[in-house]
Amino acid sequence: MAALPLLLIATVLATVGKAASPYDQYIHAPSSRTLHPLSAYQVNGTVTNASSLTGDSPGSAIFKNPSSVTYDFGKDIAGIVTLEVGDVDADQYIGLSYTESSLWISGEGCDATADAGIDEALWFFPTGPGNYTVSRQHERGGFRYLSLLHNTTGGIEIQRVTVHFTPMPHYRDDQLRDYTGYFHCDDELINRIWYAGAYTNQMCTIDPHYGDAVPFINVINSTQLGNETGPNPWYSNYTITKGTSALVDGAKRDRLVRAGGMSVAVPAIAVSTNDLISVANSLDSLFTLQKRTTGQLPYAGAPFPTTYSATYHLYSLLGVADYYLYSNDLSYLQTKWPAWKQALNFSLSSIDDSGLMNVTSPLDWLGAGTGGHNLEANAILYHTLTQGLALGETLNESVSLLSSWTQRAAALKTSANRLLWNETAGLYHNNETTLLTPQDGNTWAVVANLTTSPSQRTRISASLAARWGTYGAPAVEAADSTVISPFISGLELQTHFLAGDAGKALQLMRLEWGFMLQDPRMTNSTFIEGYASDGRLHYAPYSNDPRVSLAHAWATGPTAALMGYVAGLRVVGAGGKRWEVSPMLGNLSFVDAGFETGLGVFASRVNASSAGGVVTGLRFSTPVGTRGTVRLPGVRGRLRGSNGSTVALESGVASDVPGGTWTLELGAESTSEIEHEKSVEGGNGTYGGNGTYGGNGTYGDNGTATPFPEPASQNTNGVGAVSMSLLALVAGIVAFLL
């Protein structure tokens, strides 16, 4: 064996006990739950040695008379603050205020969780040296900036500021960075976007005992001015689900379960952390509130008032389908199935003579015009029906029921295209009483396959892209048409991919999520709930700007889209029993990506030509015992398995490919492309040079992929241990290299 592989093996052996993920330099999750400020952002009044409190070493910052320091943690975090107090004069107060954006730093209080005003600061009355810790009911769910406020004469010494990081409560303290998925390409901004999406969902995964108590719902409203409400009390002390973790809508605000955001977050979680136990807990909390007489599901989980939304009712059903798709938890599906069918029938009962559902509830994602034969709601219903047909076949549901659902779906599709399609605009109308062509409904029409032809999808993609502005894609259906909704834009990303235009999807990603990630008013680590088309951090559904959430699960669409469309790794059967590999690189030149389900690891490395993104190099691995389809449009050649078997590409497609490790071999007529592939391999280490396929043991020569660490047990209480054996990893390396 050559010296380099021996050195490599020695290096891996030396790291036994470490559970690093590939490309973990992009991961924002901390390596420890104990966090300290990175820098002193601003100082007001007389504070000596303010910067001594940065880092984990003890310091000595002396606050004299009215004064304050704002500390910057460099990224959005969440948790419980402890101040270590040294010398203190009599009758001193020291306060804390939190904010996600630098725009809302204030000596009066925190950014907001209520419809008007700001949140009150928290105050300590230290009587002597020691540690002073915020009560758990005042756990702050999202902040980048922490201000220490001193409002009395005299002085107080602060020796240390510590935050106990509380997201992902069911993970071990040293396990937060142990992702089961990874993504890397030749565009650094795209890489950062993928990982920021993963971290945003981690920030939105909380201990369910500390959900939003919403103390001022129906008390404080958006018509009130800040001086009418004053700094408002706030509490995170309501139990929102059972279990030890829950996926919520937002980290700071809306620490509640909402199924709409889950439709984006769950696929992103599946390909990054695989934290499906939190998803199940949140879905359970919604079904607990289902009305048994009608099947109606709630707009949001407790303690939000029980109310109805036609779309969010359906999102709960799609959440069950997504959970089953990634978990392969048949018993969970079986348990939910009677309630699932009743809920679907509740929606179907709203279909009138037009063949479309008549929407009577205005509640949705905060867009407008959801009533009547609303396009978005009907597209979601169509998608739910198709999901129900697949789930019903799995559960051996009666032929008569599935037949009726098939007929309902066909009629709905026909009616939507007859009543709502505008051939001139190349878009659907919101309903038949308006000329408004919404972003939400048109994107859902493509995602749900409500469209009738590839050309229709292409026209929708082009028409939506023509509306982009400097900061992204506008949601013109919102009450204020200047809204940019990362939730709906995440669906638009899928629309462009499904229309076959990866370049357009990547362009929107760089435009909109690039702005969210890089603008200095943002957290530079998580994605915002929404903002204005002129770049202001104003989300038009709210009049209270400090209320906007800068870590919102529904904004994480790129994480799943990059894995499923750019890397082309998609699970299409429960747990990955069936899969598809169909990379679309757009203007990228290579992608290295993978994720894990309970069946094993799905991973691929793809190279493309510089012209048109045609795949010129591909190696992928899927679990043994699974089967799938490979789609490589415009590519001629065959796939060669690690055991020497081959599968020919027919018009760029190979069907029913067994799980294992496969490498693309281009046809003889593609010699120039093969030479390009070889030059890429030798020039940037695509195969072997950076250890992706030979240097970290990801692929063994037995056709299986060595799994990365599992983040948490998917049963009992969700507290798990890292499962990967690095000795097995070394064995995989040896087997591959020999």
PDB file of all heavy atoms in Angstrom, residues 470-505:
ATOM      1  N   THR A 470     -34.727  43.914  -6.805  1.00  0.00           N
ATOM      2  CA  THR A 470     -33.353  43.925  -6.302  1.00  0.00           C
ATOM      3  C   THR A 470     -33.145  42.931  -5.177  1.00  0.00           C
ATOM      4  O   THR A 470     -32.065  42.343  -5.044  1.00  0.00           O
ATOM      5  CB  THR A 470     -32.992  45.335  -5.809  1.00  0.00           C
ATOM      6  OG1 THR A 470     -33.193  46.269  -6.873  1.00  0.00           O
ATOM      7  CG2 THR A 470     -31.545  45.407  -5.342  1.00  0.00           C
ATOM      8  N   TYR A 471     -34.189  42.708  -4.372  1.00  0.00           N
ATOM      9  CA  TYR A 471     -34.025  41.909  -3.154  1.00  0.00           C
ATOM     10  C   TYR A 471     -34.788  40.588  -3.183  1.00  0.00           C
ATOM     11  O   TYR A 471     -34.848  39.905  -2.170  1.00  0.00           O
ATOM     12  CB  TYR A 471     -34.450  42.730  -1.933  1.00  0.00           C
ATOM     13  CG  TYR A 471     -33.612  43.976  -1.768  1.00  0.00           C
ATOM     14  CD1 TYR A 471     -34.068  45.209  -2.226  1.00  0.00           C
ATOM     15  CD2 TYR A 471     -32.351  43.915  -1.186  1.00  0.00           C
ATOM     16  CE1 TYR A 471     -33.294  46.350  -2.089  1.00  0.00           C
ATOM     17  CE2 TYR A 471     -31.568  45.049  -1.040  1.00  0.00           C
ATOM     18  CZ  TYR A 471     -32.039  46.259  -1.497  1.00  0.00           C
ATOM     19  OH  TYR A 471     -31.261  47.383  -1.363  1.00  0.00           O
ATOM     20  N   GLY A 472     -35.366  40.237  -4.327  1.00  0.00           N
ATOM     21  CA  GLY A 472     -36.009  38.942  -4.386  1.00  0.00           C
ATOM     22  C   GLY A 472     -37.321  38.949  -5.131  1.00  0.00           C
ATOM     23  O   GLY A 472     -37.619  39.845  -5.923  1.00  0.00           O
ATOM     24  N   ALA A 473     -38.118  37.917  -4.859  1.00  0.00           N
ATOM     25  CA  ALA A 473     -39.373  37.682  -5.577  1.00  0.00           C
ATOM     26  C   ALA A 473     -40.548  38.182  -4.751  1.00  0.00           C
ATOM     27  O   ALA A 473     -40.765  37.718  -3.629  1.00  0.00           O
ATOM     28  CB  ALA A 473     -39.531  36.182  -5.845  1.00  0.00           C
ATOM     29  N   PRO A 474     -41.339  39.106  -5.259  1.00  0.00           N
ATOM     30  CA  PRO A 474     -42.448  39.660  -4.476  1.00  0.00           C
ATOM     31  C   PRO A 474     -43.644  38.714  -4.417  1.00  0.00           C
ATOM     32  O   PRO A 474     -43.940  38.001  -5.366  1.00  0.00           O
ATOM     33  CB  PRO A 474     -42.806  40.939  -5.242  1.00  0.00           C
ATOM     34  CG  PRO A 474     -42.455  40.620  -6.664  1.00  0.00           C
ATOM     35  CD  PRO A 474     -41.224  39.742  -6.590  1.00  0.00           C
ATOM     36  N   ALA A 475     -44.299  38.732  -3.278  1.00  0.00           N
ATOM     37  CA  ALA A 475     -45.565  38.012  -3.119  1.00  0.00           C
ATOM     38  C   ALA A 475     -46.681  39.012  -3.385  1.00  0.00           C
ATOM     39  O   ALA A 475     -47.186  39.670  -2.475  1.00  0.00           O
ATOM     40  CB  ALA A 475     -45.674  37.421  -1.722  1.00  0.00           C
ATOM     41  N   VAL A 476     -47.065  39.147  -4.642  1.00  0.00           N
ATOM     42  CA  VAL A 476     -47.982  40.219  -5.037  1.00  0.00           C
ATOM     43  C   VAL A 476     -49.372  40.035  -4.459  1.00  0.00           C
ATOM     44  O   VAL A 476     -50.182  40.969  -4.455  1.00  0.00           O
ATOM     45  CB  VAL A 476     -48.061  40.324  -6.581  1.00  0.00           C
ATOM     46  CG1 VAL A 476     -46.705  40.663  -7.167  1.00  0.00           C
ATOM     47  CG2 VAL A 476     -48.591  39.017  -7.183  1.00  0.00           C
ATOM     48  N   GLU A 477     -49.673  38.850  -3.966  1.00  0.00           N
ATOM     49  CA  GLU A 477     -51.000  38.597  -3.416  1.00  0.00           C
ATOM     50  C   GLU A 477     -51.151  39.114  -1.994  1.00  0.00           C
ATOM     51  O   GLU A 477     -52.259  39.121  -1.437  1.00  0.00           O
ATOM     52  CB  GLU A 477     -51.311  37.094  -3.439  1.00  0.00           C
ATOM     53  CG  GLU A 477     -50.407  36.248  -2.541  1.00  0.00           C
ATOM     54  CD  GLU A 477     -49.110  35.851  -3.215  1.00  0.00           C
ATOM     55  OE1 GLU A 477     -48.748  36.477  -4.242  1.00  0.00           O
ATOM     56  OE2 GLU A 477     -48.449  34.911  -2.729  1.00  0.00           O
ATOM     57  N   ALA A 478     -50.051  39.506  -1.350  1.00  0.00           N
ATOM     58  CA  ALA A 478     -50.135  40.019   0.010  1.00  0.00           C
ATOM     59  C   ALA A 478     -50.903  41.333   0.022  1.00  0.00           C
ATOM     60  O   ALA A 478     -50.993  42.037  -0.989  1.00  0.00           O
ATOM     61  CB  ALA A 478     -48.742  40.216   0.583  1.00  0.00           C
ATOM     62  N   ALA A 479     -51.443  41.672   1.189  1.00  0.00           N
ATOM     63  CA  ALA A 479     -52.208  42.914   1.313  1.00  0.00           C
ATOM     64  C   ALA A 479     -51.366  44.104   0.885  1.00  0.00           C
ATOM     65  O   ALA A 479     -51.859  45.053   0.274  1.00  0.00           O
ATOM     66  CB  ALA A 479     -52.691  43.080   2.749  1.00  0.00           C
ATOM     67  N   ASP A 480     -50.087  44.064   1.226  1.00  0.00           N
ATOM     68  CA  ASP A 480     -49.121  45.040   0.728  1.00  0.00           C
ATOM     69  C   ASP A 480     -48.250  44.291  -0.275  1.00  0.00           C
ATOM     70  O   ASP A 480     -47.475  43.413   0.086  1.00  0.00           O
ATOM     71  CB  ASP A 480     -48.272  45.586   1.880  1.00  0.00           C
ATOM     72  CG  ASP A 480     -47.264  46.630   1.432  1.00  0.00           C
ATOM     73  OD1 ASP A 480     -46.873  46.611   0.249  1.00  0.00           O
ATOM     74  OD2 ASP A 480     -46.863  47.457   2.265  1.00  0.00           O
ATOM     75  N   SER A 481     -48.374  44.625  -1.539  1.00  0.00           N
ATOM     76  CA  SER A 481     -47.723  43.830  -2.590  1.00  0.00           C
ATOM     77  C   SER A 481     -46.212  43.982  -2.605  1.00  0.00           C
ATOM     78  O   SER A 481     -45.544  43.406  -3.465  1.00  0.00           O
ATOM     79  CB  SER A 481     -48.291  44.217  -3.961  1.00  0.00           C
ATOM     80  OG  SER A 481     -48.072  45.596  -4.219  1.00  0.00           O
ATOM     81  N   THR A 482     -45.664  44.741  -1.638  1.00  0.00           N
ATOM     82  CA  THR A 482     -44.207  44.858  -1.554  1.00  0.00           C
ATOM     83  C   THR A 482     -43.597  43.765  -0.687  1.00  0.00           C
ATOM     84  O   THR A 482     -42.398  43.781  -0.438  1.00  0.00           O
ATOM     85  CB  THR A 482     -43.802  46.227  -0.976  1.00  0.00           C
ATOM     86  OG1 THR A 482     -44.252  46.320   0.384  1.00  0.00           O
ATOM     87  CG2 THR A 482     -44.389  47.361  -1.793  1.00  0.00           C
ATOM     88  N   VAL A 483     -44.403  42.835  -0.220  1.00  0.00           N
ATOM     89  CA  VAL A 483     -43.899  41.767   0.651  1.00  0.00           C
ATOM     90  C   VAL A 483     -42.996  40.816  -0.121  1.00  0.00           C
ATOM     91  O   VAL A 483     -43.309  40.398  -1.238  1.00  0.00           O
ATOM     92  CB  VAL A 483     -45.076  40.981   1.269  1.00  0.00           C
ATOM     93  CG1 VAL A 483     -44.595  39.674   1.890  1.00  0.00           C
ATOM     94  CG2 VAL A 483     -45.776  41.829   2.311  1.00  0.00           C
ATOM     95  N   ILE A 484     -41.873  40.448   0.497  1.00  0.00           N
ATOM     96  CA  ILE A 484     -41.087  39.303   0.036  1.00  0.00           C
ATOM     97  C   ILE A 484     -41.205  38.236   1.116  1.00  0.00           C
ATOM     98  O   ILE A 484     -40.862  38.468   2.279  1.00  0.00           O
ATOM     99  CB  ILE A 484     -39.626  39.681  -0.222  1.00  0.00           C
ATOM    100  CG1 ILE A 484     -39.535  40.545  -1.481  1.00  0.00           C
ATOM    101  CG2 ILE A 484     -38.755  38.427  -0.376  1.00  0.00           C
ATOM    102  CD1 ILE A 484     -38.136  40.958  -1.870  1.00  0.00           C
ATOM    103  N   SER A 485     -41.738  37.097   0.737  1.00  0.00           N
ATOM    104  CA  SER A 485     -41.968  35.997   1.663  1.00  0.00           C
ATOM    105  C   SER A 485     -41.006  34.855   1.353  1.00  0.00           C
ATOM    106  O   SER A 485     -41.185  34.149   0.346  1.00  0.00           O
ATOM    107  CB  SER A 485     -43.405  35.480   1.549  1.00  0.00           C
ATOM    108  OG  SER A 485     -43.546  34.255   2.251  1.00  0.00           O
ATOM    109  N   PRO A 486     -39.994  34.638   2.185  1.00  0.00           N
ATOM    110  CA  PRO A 486     -39.112  33.490   1.961  1.00  0.00           C
ATOM    111  C   PRO A 486     -39.852  32.152   1.983  1.00  0.00           C
ATOM    112  O   PRO A 486     -39.379  31.178   1.387  1.00  0.00           O
ATOM    113  CB  PRO A 486     -38.112  33.595   3.119  1.00  0.00           C
ATOM    114  CG  PRO A 486     -38.116  35.045   3.480  1.00  0.00           C
ATOM    115  CD  PRO A 486     -39.535  35.489   3.287  1.00  0.00           C
ATOM    116  N   PHE A 487     -40.985  32.106   2.672  1.00  0.00           N
ATOM    117  CA  PHE A 487     -41.807  30.899   2.675  1.00  0.00           C
ATOM    118  C   PHE A 487     -42.276  30.577   1.258  1.00  0.00           C
ATOM    119  O   PHE A 487     -42.019  29.480   0.722  1.00  0.00           O
ATOM    120  CB  PHE A 487     -42.997  31.127   3.607  1.00  0.00           C
ATOM    121  CG  PHE A 487     -44.022  30.019   3.635  1.00  0.00           C
ATOM    122  CD1 PHE A 487     -43.670  28.689   3.478  1.00  0.00           C
ATOM    123  CD2 PHE A 487     -45.361  30.325   3.854  1.00  0.00           C
ATOM    124  CE1 PHE A 487     -44.622  27.672   3.522  1.00  0.00           C
ATOM    125  CE2 PHE A 487     -46.323  29.326   3.904  1.00  0.00           C
ATOM    126  CZ  PHE A 487     -45.958  28.002   3.735  1.00  0.00           C
ATOM    127  N   ILE A 488     -42.932  31.534   0.620  1.00  0.00           N
ATOM    128  CA  ILE A 488     -43.451  31.286  -0.708  1.00  0.00           C
ATOM    129  C   ILE A 488     -42.325  31.264  -1.741  1.00  0.00           C
ATOM    130  O   ILE A 488     -42.379  30.506  -2.722  1.00  0.00           O
ATOM    131  CB  ILE A 488     -44.512  32.345  -1.063  1.00  0.00           C
ATOM    132  CG1 ILE A 488     -45.617  32.365   0.012  1.00  0.00           C
ATOM    133  CG2 ILE A 488     -45.113  32.050  -2.425  1.00  0.00           C
ATOM    134  CD1 ILE A 488     -46.286  31.028   0.257  1.00  0.00           C
ATOM    135  N   SER A 489     -41.292  32.059  -1.534  1.00  0.00           N
ATOM    136  CA  SER A 489     -40.158  32.015  -2.465  1.00  0.00           C
ATOM    137  C   SER A 489     -39.449  30.671  -2.432  1.00  0.00           C
ATOM    138  O   SER A 489     -38.856  30.246  -3.430  1.00  0.00           O
ATOM    139  CB  SER A 489     -39.171  33.141  -2.142  1.00  0.00           C
ATOM    140  OG  SER A 489     -39.727  34.405  -2.446  1.00  0.00           O
ATOM    141  N   GLY A 490     -39.509  29.988  -1.288  1.00  0.00           N
ATOM    142  CA  GLY A 490     -38.958  28.626  -1.239  1.00  0.00           C
ATOM    143  C   GLY A 490     -39.702  27.700  -2.174  1.00  0.00           C
ATOM    144  O   GLY A 490     -39.115  26.820  -2.818  1.00  0.00           O
ATOM    145  N   LEU A 491     -41.022  27.902  -2.273  1.00  0.00           N
ATOM    146  CA  LEU A 491     -41.805  27.145  -3.248  1.00  0.00           C
ATOM    147  C   LEU A 491     -41.459  27.574  -4.672  1.00  0.00           C
ATOM    148  O   LEU A 491     -41.461  26.752  -5.596  1.00  0.00           O
ATOM    149  CB  LEU A 491     -43.293  27.345  -2.982  1.00  0.00           C
ATOM    150  CG  LEU A 491     -43.819  26.787  -1.656  1.00  0.00           C
ATOM    151  CD1 LEU A 491     -45.197  27.336  -1.359  1.00  0.00           C
ATOM    152  CD2 LEU A 491     -43.849  25.266  -1.682  1.00  0.00           C
ATOM    153  N   GLU A 492     -41.156  28.855  -4.854  1.00  0.00           N
ATOM    154  CA  GLU A 492     -40.773  29.300  -6.189  1.00  0.00           C
ATOM    155  C   GLU A 492     -39.457  28.660  -6.629  1.00  0.00           C
ATOM    156  O   GLU A 492     -39.274  28.363  -7.817  1.00  0.00           O
ATOM    157  CB  GLU A 492     -40.674  30.824  -6.259  1.00  0.00           C
ATOM    158  CG  GLU A 492     -40.360  31.296  -7.671  1.00  0.00           C
ATOM    159  CD  GLU A 492     -40.467  32.783  -7.896  1.00  0.00           C
ATOM    160  OE1 GLU A 492     -41.258  33.457  -7.212  1.00  0.00           O
ATOM    161  OE2 GLU A 492     -39.754  33.287  -8.796  1.00  0.00           O
ATOM    162  N   LEU A 493     -38.533  28.442  -5.693  1.00  0.00           N
ATOM    163  CA  LEU A 493     -37.306  27.722  -6.055  1.00  0.00           C
ATOM    164  C   LEU A 493     -37.654  26.379  -6.680  1.00  0.00           C
ATOM    165  O   LEU A 493     -37.112  25.994  -7.729  1.00  0.00           O
ATOM    166  CB  LEU A 493     -36.438  27.500  -4.813  1.00  0.00           C
ATOM    167  CG  LEU A 493     -35.789  28.708  -4.155  1.00  0.00           C
ATOM    168  CD1 LEU A 493     -35.024  28.261  -2.912  1.00  0.00           C
ATOM    169  CD2 LEU A 493     -34.861  29.433  -5.119  1.00  0.00           C
ATOM    170  N   GLN A 494     -38.556  25.649  -6.033  1.00  0.00           N
ATOM    171  CA  GLN A 494     -38.963  24.346  -6.574  1.00  0.00           C
ATOM    172  C   GLN A 494     -39.613  24.503  -7.944  1.00  0.00           C
ATOM    173  O   GLN A 494     -39.427  23.657  -8.829  1.00  0.00           O
ATOM    174  CB  GLN A 494     -39.936  23.673  -5.611  1.00  0.00           C
ATOM    175  CG  GLN A 494     -39.347  23.288  -4.268  1.00  0.00           C
ATOM    176  CD  GLN A 494     -40.358  22.536  -3.427  1.00  0.00           C
ATOM    177  OE1 GLN A 494     -40.892  21.500  -3.838  1.00  0.00           O
ATOM    178  NE2 GLN A 494     -40.648  23.068  -2.248  1.00  0.00           N
ATOM    179  N   THR A 495     -40.369  25.568  -8.117  1.00  0.00           N
ATOM    180  CA  THR A 495     -41.036  25.811  -9.399  1.00  0.00           C
ATOM    181  C   THR A 495     -40.027  25.896 -10.533  1.00  0.00           C
ATOM    182  O   THR A 495     -40.212  25.298 -11.602  1.00  0.00           O
ATOM    183  CB  THR A 495     -41.853  27.114  -9.311  1.00  0.00           C
ATOM    184  OG1 THR A 495     -42.877  26.954  -8.332  1.00  0.00           O
ATOM    185  CG2 THR A 495     -42.475  27.463 -10.653  1.00  0.00           C
ATOM    186  N   HIS A 496     -38.943  26.636 -10.337  1.00  0.00           N
ATOM    187  CA  HIS A 496     -37.940  26.785 -11.392  1.00  0.00           C
ATOM    188  C   HIS A 496     -37.216  25.464 -11.652  1.00  0.00           C
ATOM    189  O   HIS A 496     -36.944  25.120 -12.812  1.00  0.00           O
ATOM    190  CB  HIS A 496     -36.958  27.889 -11.027  1.00  0.00           C
ATOM    191  CG  HIS A 496     -37.611  29.230 -10.868  1.00  0.00           C
ATOM    192  ND1 HIS A 496     -38.421  29.779 -11.834  1.00  0.00           N
ATOM    193  CD2 HIS A 496     -37.598  30.126  -9.845  1.00  0.00           C
ATOM    194  CE1 HIS A 496     -38.867  30.956 -11.418  1.00  0.00           C
ATOM    195  NE2 HIS A 496     -38.383  31.185 -10.212  1.00  0.00           N
ATOM    196  N   PHE A 497     -36.916  24.725 -10.592  1.00  0.00           N
ATOM    197  CA  PHE A 497     -36.284  23.415 -10.793  1.00  0.00           C
ATOM    198  C   PHE A 497     -37.219  22.482 -11.560  1.00  0.00           C
ATOM    199  O   PHE A 497     -36.786  21.784 -12.490  1.00  0.00           O
ATOM    200  CB  PHE A 497     -35.914  22.788  -9.447  1.00  0.00           C
ATOM    201  CG  PHE A 497     -34.671  23.349  -8.806  1.00  0.00           C
ATOM    202  CD1 PHE A 497     -34.720  23.935  -7.559  1.00  0.00           C
ATOM    203  CD2 PHE A 497     -33.448  23.278  -9.458  1.00  0.00           C
ATOM    204  CE1 PHE A 497     -33.576  24.443  -6.964  1.00  0.00           C
ATOM    205  CE2 PHE A 497     -32.297  23.786  -8.872  1.00  0.00           C
ATOM    206  CZ  PHE A 497     -32.361  24.373  -7.614  1.00  0.00           C
ATOM    207  N   LEU A 498     -38.486  22.450 -11.167  1.00  0.00           N
ATOM    208  CA  LEU A 498     -39.447  21.562 -11.827  1.00  0.00           C
ATOM    209  C   LEU A 498     -39.710  21.975 -13.267  1.00  0.00           C
ATOM    210  O   LEU A 498     -40.104  21.151 -14.093  1.00  0.00           O
ATOM    211  CB  LEU A 498     -40.754  21.533 -11.037  1.00  0.00           C
ATOM    212  CG  LEU A 498     -40.666  20.821  -9.676  1.00  0.00           C
ATOM    213  CD1 LEU A 498     -41.899  21.110  -8.837  1.00  0.00           C
ATOM    214  CD2 LEU A 498     -40.472  19.320  -9.857  1.00  0.00           C
ATOM    215  N   ALA A 499     -39.463  23.255 -13.570  1.00  0.00           N
ATOM    216  CA  ALA A 499     -39.565  23.722 -14.958  1.00  0.00           C
ATOM    217  C   ALA A 499     -38.278  23.462 -15.729  1.00  0.00           C
ATOM    218  O   ALA A 499     -38.186  23.819 -16.913  1.00  0.00           O
ATOM    219  CB  ALA A 499     -39.891  25.211 -14.978  1.00  0.00           C
ATOM    220  N   GLY A 500     -37.298  22.849 -15.073  1.00  0.00           N
ATOM    221  CA  GLY A 500     -36.046  22.492 -15.738  1.00  0.00           C
ATOM    222  C   GLY A 500     -35.036  23.617 -15.800  1.00  0.00           C
ATOM    223  O   GLY A 500     -34.061  23.529 -16.552  1.00  0.00           O
ATOM    224  N   ASP A 501     -35.215  24.669 -15.003  1.00  0.00           N
ATOM    225  CA  ASP A 501     -34.324  25.820 -15.065  1.00  0.00           C
ATOM    226  C   ASP A 501     -33.583  25.977 -13.737  1.00  0.00           C
ATOM    227  O   ASP A 501     -33.926  26.817 -12.898  1.00  0.00           O
ATOM    228  CB  ASP A 501     -35.106  27.088 -15.390  1.00  0.00           C
ATOM    229  CG  ASP A 501     -34.215  28.216 -15.879  1.00  0.00           C
ATOM    230  OD1 ASP A 501     -33.025  28.225 -15.521  1.00  0.00           O
ATOM    231  OD2 ASP A 501     -34.714  29.087 -16.617  1.00  0.00           O
ATOM    232  N   ALA A 502     -32.535  25.171 -13.557  1.00  0.00           N
ATOM    233  CA  ALA A 502     -31.740  25.238 -12.330  1.00  0.00           C
ATOM    234  C   ALA A 502     -31.033  26.575 -12.208  1.00  0.00           C
ATOM    235  O   ALA A 502     -30.857  27.098 -11.103  1.00  0.00           O
ATOM    236  CB  ALA A 502     -30.727  24.097 -12.298  1.00  0.00           C
ATOM    237  N   GLY A 503     -30.618  27.134 -13.339  1.00  0.00           N
ATOM    238  CA  GLY A 503     -29.927  28.416 -13.307  1.00  0.00           C
ATOM    239  C   GLY A 503     -30.782  29.511 -12.705  1.00  0.00           C
ATOM    240  O   GLY A 503     -30.311  30.336 -11.921  1.00  0.00           O
ATOM    241  N   LYS A 504     -32.076  29.510 -13.058  1.00  0.00           N
ATOM    242  CA  LYS A 504     -32.987  30.521 -12.527  1.00  0.00           C
ATOM    243  C   LYS A 504     -33.185  30.320 -11.025  1.00  0.00           C
ATOM    244  O   LYS A 504     -33.222  31.290 -10.251  1.00  0.00           O
ATOM    245  CB  LYS A 504     -34.317  30.437 -13.269  1.00  0.00           C
ATOM    246  CG  LYS A 504     -35.179  31.685 -13.118  1.00  0.00           C
ATOM    247  CD  LYS A 504     -36.438  31.573 -13.967  1.00  0.00           C
ATOM    248  CE  LYS A 504     -36.229  32.133 -15.364  1.00  0.00           C
ATOM    249  NZ  LYS A 504     -36.107  31.238 -16.441  1.00  0.00           N
ATOM    250  N   ALA A 505     -33.312  29.077 -10.597  1.00  0.00           N
ATOM    251  CA  ALA A 505     -33.478  28.802  -9.172  1.00  0.00           C
ATOM    252  C   ALA A 505     -32.257  29.259  -8.374  1.00  0.00           C
ATOM    253  O   ALA A 505     -32.388  29.871  -7.309  1.00  0.00           O
ATOM    254  CB  ALA A 505     -33.724  27.308  -8.957  1.00  0.00           C
TER     255      ALA A 505
END
